[in-house]
C-alpha cells in the first residue's frame, strides 16, 4: 500500500525544482555560446540561426513544462508547489534576456559600421549577417540617407570634433578621381601620395582605412 500511495506535493515540487536546476546548464548552453562568440568578434560572428532556433525551442519547452506542472493532479499553489514552475519560468526569462542581448548587440554593431565607414558595408562583413540583418542594414542606411538629404546634412562627417579644417594624410591605396563632398572640387589620390586636404573631403576615406593621418 505504501508503494502505491501518492507522493506528497511538496516532495514532487522540490524534486521538479532540483531537476530544473540540474538542467539549467543544458538549457543555457547555446545562448551562452552565442554571447561568447559576439563578445570575441571584432564585428559580428557569422549568423547561427540553428542555435537561435534551439534557444527559442527550449524557451517553448520550459513554458510548456511550467504549465504541465501547474496542471498536474495535486497541485495546490502552495509556496512549495510553485517551486518547479517558478524555476522553469525564471530559466525561460534568463534565456530571453540573453538572446535579446545577443541580437541587440549585433544590431548595434551593424549600425556602427554605417557611421564608421560612412558608406556601404563590404561583402566580407555582409557574409556574416542573416537575411533579416541584411534587410535591417539596408533599411537603416536608407533612412539615414533620406534624413541627410531632407536636411542637406552629412551626419557621418566629423565623427570626432575637428581641430583643423585641413588635415595632412598618407594615401595607402589607389583611390582615383572623385569629387570632394565638402569642397566640390575634383580630387585624385594615388597610393604613396602625401597631401594636405580638407577634412570634410576625405574623412570617410580615413574611416575606411584608405588614408591615414600623416605626422
Amino acid at each position: 500500500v505504501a508503494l502505491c500511495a501518492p507522493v506528497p506535493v511538496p516532495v514532487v515540487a522540490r524534486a521538479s525544482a532540483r531537476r530544473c536546476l540540474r538542467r539549467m546548464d543544458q538549457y543555457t548552453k547555446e545562448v551562452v555560446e552565442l554571447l561568447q562568440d559576439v563578445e570575441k568578434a571584432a564585428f559580428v560572428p557569422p549568423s547561427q540561426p540553428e542555435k537561435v532556433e534551439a534557444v527559442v525551442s527550449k524557451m517553448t519547452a520550459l513554458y510548456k513544462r511550467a504549465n504541465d506542472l501547474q496542471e498536474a493532479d495535486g497541485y495546490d499553489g502552495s509556496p512549495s508547489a510553485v517551486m518547479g514552475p517558478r524555476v522553469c519560468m525564471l530559466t525561460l526569462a534568463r534565456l530571453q534576456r540573453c538572446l535579446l542581448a545577443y541580437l541587440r548587440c549585433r544590431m548595434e554593431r551593424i549600425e556602427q559600421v554605417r557611421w564608421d565607414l560612412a558608406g556601404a558595408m563590404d561583402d566580407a562583413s555582409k557574409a556574416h549577417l542573416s537575411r533579416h540583418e541584411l534587410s535591417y542594414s539596408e533599411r537603416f542606411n536608407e533612412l539615414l540617407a533620406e534624413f541627410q538629404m531632407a536636411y542637406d546634412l552629412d551626419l557621418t562627417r566629423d565623427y570626432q570634433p575637428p581641430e583643423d579644417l585641413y588635415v595632412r594624410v598618407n594615401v595607402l591605396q589607389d583611390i582615383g578621381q572623385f569629387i570632394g563632398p565638402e569642397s566640390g572640387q575634383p580630387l585624385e589620390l594615388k597610393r604613396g601620395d602625401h597631401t594636405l586636404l580638407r577634412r570634410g573631403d576625405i574623412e570617410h576615406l580615413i574611416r575606411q582605412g584608405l588614408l591615414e593621418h600623416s605626422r
Side-chain angles (χ1 to χ4, degrees):
V1 176
L3 291 175
C4 296
V7 179
V9 171
V11 175
V12 174
R14 285 196 293 271
S16 297
R18 285 195 294 270
R19 283 196 296 271
C20 284
L21 287 170
R22 284 197 300 270
R23 294 174 183 172
M24 186 170 291
D25 288 341
Q26 169 192 342
Y27 279 113
T28 59
K29 178 177 180 291
E30 287 86 1
V31 77
V32 169
E33 290 175 352
L34 289 172
L35 289 170
Q36 289 173 339
D37 289 345
V38 79
E39 183 180 15
K40 295 174 184 176
F43 171 46
V44 293
S47 175
Q48 302 181 72
E50 68 286 347
K51 284 189 177 181
V52 173
E53 291 174 4
V55 176
V56 174
S57 295
K58 289 182 177 181
M59 291 167 61
T60 303
L62 283 165
Y63 183 79
K64 184 178 184 303
R65 177 60 177 162
N67 280 341
D68 290 344
L69 288 172
Q70 294 175 85
E71 294 172 359
D73 293 339
Y75 180 82
D76 60 1
S78 64
S80 57
V82 301
M83 290 174 62
R86 181 175 296 171
V87 170
C88 290
M89 294 305 296
L90 288 174
T91 306
L92 186 157
R94 181 184 182 191
L95 291 178
Q96 182 187 49
R97 289 195 299 270
C98 290
L99 186 58
L100 290 175
Y102 165 77
L103 295 173
R104 182 55 192 157
C105 182
R106 291 179 66 94
M107 291 169 65
E108 288 176 346
R109 292 187 182 180
I110 291 169
E111 295 168 5
Q112 191 62 42
V113 166
R114 179 63 180 85
W115 295 101
D116 290 344
L117 297 181
M121 188 184 302
D122 60 78
D123 292 338
S125 297
K126 288 181 179 179
H128 286 197
L129 307 184
S130 69
R131 61 186 181 88
H132 299 294
E133 289 170 336
L134 284 171
S135 297
Y136 177 80
S137 175
E138 291 171 0
R139 186 56 182 151
F140 182 83
N141 293 344
E142 289 173 3
L143 289 173
L144 180 59
E146 290 173 7
F147 182 85
Q148 292 183 133
M149 290 179 64
Y151 293 95
D152 193 22
L153 293 172
D154 184 0
L155 297 177
T156 63
R157 197 181 72 192
D158 296 335
Y159 196 59
Q160 297 293 333
E163 297 179 359
D164 299 300
L165 291 178
Y166 288 84
V167 60
R168 190 172 297 279
V169 295
N170 299 325
V171 182
L172 304 180
Q173 298 182 34
D174 289 334
I175 297 171
Q177 296 182 346
F178 65 100
I179 301 297
E182 181 175 281
S183 66
Q185 298 297 316
L187 301 172
E188 183 175 6
L189 297 176
K190 298 179 181 179
R191 182 176 180 178
D193 287 350
H194 306 278
T195 184
L196 184 69
L197 297 168
R198 290 184 68 93
R199 182 183 295 273
D201 285 342
I202 48 85
E203 182 75 19
H204 63 292
L205 299 176
I206 294 175
R207 290 188 213 158
Q208 293 175 25
L210 303 177
L211 310 179
E212 67 176 2
H213 291 283
S214 177
R215 298 182 179 179

